[in-house]
């Protein structure tokens, strides 16, 4: 049991959690700022803007600090950026579809919990799944080449 705990909670997962929190703060702040300024009708567009900014930040921090990918060769960067962005686009599509479902079919915009609007709550819940999927994809598919 202790071995399993050490394998799950180590430097890498700690760094992923730290930079994941910072990435999430960037994402949520931009999302919140846009829907606050332009209304909840812009939630899907706000999510796109927040996604682009947070993925750029996440790639850099994941490469350098989390998975310590050492190579800066052009071919490696192209492969990493394409696979990282591709994986994030898939998880983003899941999040956008989830928001679309929550906003238009479940009508979460009329809900509020502890002063947090239903749209923001839907984004928060969807984020938990997205973070887990992104970690698995990054660890086993994207930044694996330098770890031999």
């Amino acid at each position: 049991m202790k071995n399993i705990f050490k394998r799950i909670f180590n430097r890498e997962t700690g760094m992923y959690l730290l930079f994941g929190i910072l990435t999430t703060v960037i994402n949520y702040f931009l999302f919140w700022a846009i829907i606050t300024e332009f209304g909840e009708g812009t939630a899907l567009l706000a999510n796109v803007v927040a996604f682009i900014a947070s993925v750029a930040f996440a790639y850099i921090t994941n490469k350098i600090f989390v998975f310590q990918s050492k190579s800066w060769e052009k071919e490696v960067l192209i492969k990493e950026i394409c696979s990282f962005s591709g994986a994030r686009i898939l998880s983003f599509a899941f999040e956008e579809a989830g928001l679309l479902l929550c906003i238009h079919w479940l009508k979460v915009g009329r809900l509020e919990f502890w002063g947090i609007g239903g749209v923001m709550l839907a984004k928060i819940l969807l984020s938990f799944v997205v973070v887990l999927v992104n970690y698995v994809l990054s660890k086993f598919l994207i930044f694996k080449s330098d770890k031999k």
Side-chain angles (χ1 to χ4, degrees):
M1 188 65 139
K2 189 188 256 185
N3 234 1
I4 293 171
F5 184 81
K6 283 183 181 181
R7 286 185 58 127
I8 294 172
F9 299 104
N10 53 41
R11 186 209 60 82
E12 184 179 275
T13 55
M15 295 299 278
Y16 187 81
L17 181 62
L18 171 66
F19 287 110
I21 290 169
L22 293 174
T23 298
T24 302
V25 167
I26 290 167
N27 187 291
Y28 281 36
F29 174 76
L30 289 172
F31 181 80
W32 169 82
I34 293 168
I35 66 171
T36 299
E37 183 66 28
F38 300 105
E40 287 188 349
T42 63
L44 296 176
L45 178 60
N47 205 36
V48 171
V49 173
F51 168 77
I52 292 169
S54 60
V55 166
F57 176 79
Y59 170 74
I60 293 166
T61 57
N62 274 246
K63 176 173 182 59
I64 296 170
F65 302 109
V66 178
F67 299 105
Q68 299 179 327
S69 176
K70 305 287 185 213
S71 179
W72 292 94
E73 293 176 21
K74 182 179 176 180
E75 297 79 25
V76 172
L77 285 174
I78 290 169
K79 180 183 175 287
E80 284 179 352
I81 290 169
C82 288
S83 57
F84 188 86
S85 298
R88 292 313 189 269
I89 287 169
L90 286 175
S91 62
F92 174 73
F94 168 79
E95 184 178 48
E96 278 287 276
L99 277 175
L100 185 66
L101 172 75
C102 290
I103 292 167
H104 294 291
W105 288 315
L106 299 178
K107 307 289 186 201
V108 298
R110 50 192 165 152
L111 302 175
E112 188 173 309
F113 186 71
W114 285 353
I116 302 171
V119 173
M120 187 59 84
L121 286 172
K123 182 166 175 60
I124 290 167
L125 293 173
L126 289 163
S127 293
F128 283 103
V129 176
V130 167
V131 166
L132 181 60
V133 169
N134 285 340
Y135 177 76
V136 170
L137 291 173
S138 290
K139 179 168 181 64
F140 296 107
L141 297 176
I142 299 165
F143 295 109
K144 67 179 174 99
S145 62
D146 285 354
K147 303 269 182 166
K148 291 184 179 164

